[in-house]
Amino acid sequence: MGTELMDALDLSYQPSQLLGIPVALIGACFLSVGAQLQHHGVAKVEANAGHGDGGMSLRNLGLLLARPSWVIGTLLLGLAIVFQLVSLKLSPIILVQPLGVVGLVITSILNARVSGVKLNHQSVVAVILCVSGVGAFVLLAAVFARDEPVTSRALVVILIILAVVLILFGTLFWFLRRRFKAIIYVVGAGVLYGFVATLAKVAIDRISNQEWDWLLVACIVALLLAAVLGAYFVQNAYSSGPPDLVIAGLTVIDPLVAVTIGIVVLNEAAGAPWWAMVGFAATGAVAIFGVFQLSKHHPQTSADAPVADRITGVAKESSLD
């Protein structure tokens, strides 16, 4: 094990590939602030226009454009995406994508200050599980991951898997949308954004290498479809749960999906020993367990009053916009 570790430390990365780490961390900061503002805008609209059982209506989605907090939050999330894309260009997915979990800590602090609801002991433990699980995952990735080019065959496999995922989530939403809860929306958005991150990296690499073909077009179309459906799920999650739960799902499930694709399809961890693969599975499981614990014990999802009523009540009293 010692020899394998030393060999990995010598061969994993060029120093320039580590530049994606600070870029990803800056993006995580924009993500957390943008999410808090977007959440407030959604809650404000729900407070004034009412909450639908089958997801946000087109009317409510249109009203979001009139909420300064939502618009500013969206702009900040746009900046977060730009920084994420730059980090993906500089570094392997398996290294930089999980760093978004830093946004969970920032969002938890911001939401506690804005809403006046402090995290209880179980919620703090859940956040620690999320951050420590992803942190340990990143340490393993920093040692053993390698940036591999995406072959046409691998891209076809990714597109096929995404097609199945889009059909699955689209069908579930159509038939079960009145029973969807925040955690279901969060999981769905996290899975879809995991594919978005992967396809974004593929598109950037192919455009940089002047690889203009039908696969690039299919990649961009699939990316946009996943991003739009994921964004709709996120807005619905904001209307039925606190922002730190939403960010917990996005910054844990999103990178784990992207990293799983990197490991299984792109072979970014092909040189890792068996115990490192066990470590990937164990640390990922800890992080996901933390997300579900946060959804179960968060003060804004475990009180007696309905979730939407508690969130919109805070929004009505707020003076953010």
Side-chain angles (χ1 to χ4, degrees), residues 109-290:
I109 296 172
L110 282 176
N111 187 55
R113 297 293 294 271
V114 171
S115 67
V117 178
K118 293 184 179 180
L119 291 180
N120 53 32
H121 175 72
Q122 295 97 324
S123 298
V124 172
V125 171
V127 171
I128 292 173
L129 288 174
C130 291
V131 175
S132 60
V134 174
F137 194 101
V138 170
L139 288 177
L140 283 172
V143 174
F144 294 107
R146 288 164 175 77
D147 198 8
E148 299 290 342
V150 180
T151 64
S152 295
R153 179 180 179 277
L155 179 54
V156 170
V157 171
I158 294 171
L159 292 174
I160 292 173
I161 296 173
L162 176 57
V164 173
V165 170
L166 286 171
I167 293 171
L168 176 62
F169 277 114
T171 302
L172 287 175
F173 180 76
W174 181 259
F175 289 104
L176 301 176
R177 61 188 182 277
R178 296 190 181 278
R179 300 176 61 183
F180 267 40
K181 303 299 182 183
I183 187 62
I184 304 300
Y185 284 121
V186 167
V187 170
V191 171
L192 291 170
Y193 280 141
F195 280 92
V196 168
T198 302
L199 293 175
K201 182 173 178 60
V202 173
I204 291 171
D205 290 342
R206 284 184 168 258
I207 292 173
S208 299
N209 296 326
Q210 300 288 315
E211 296 181 36
W212 306 97
D213 55 14
W214 70 270
L215 274 176
L216 175 59
V217 175
C219 177
I220 295 174
V221 171
L223 186 159
L224 293 175
L225 287 174
V228 169
L229 184 56
Y232 180 69
F233 279 10
V234 166
Q235 302 311 312
N236 278 283
Y238 285 148
S239 70
S240 54
D244 33 358
L245 172 60
V246 178
I247 293 301
L250 294 181
T251 58
V252 172
I253 296 173
D254 168 346
L256 291 181
V257 170
V259 166
T260 299
I261 295 172
I263 292 174
V264 176
V265 181
L266 305 183
N267 294 317
E268 287 191 347
W274 67 268
W275 54 266
M277 302 303 290
V278 172
F280 283 132
T283 54
V286 168
I288 291 176
F289 178 72

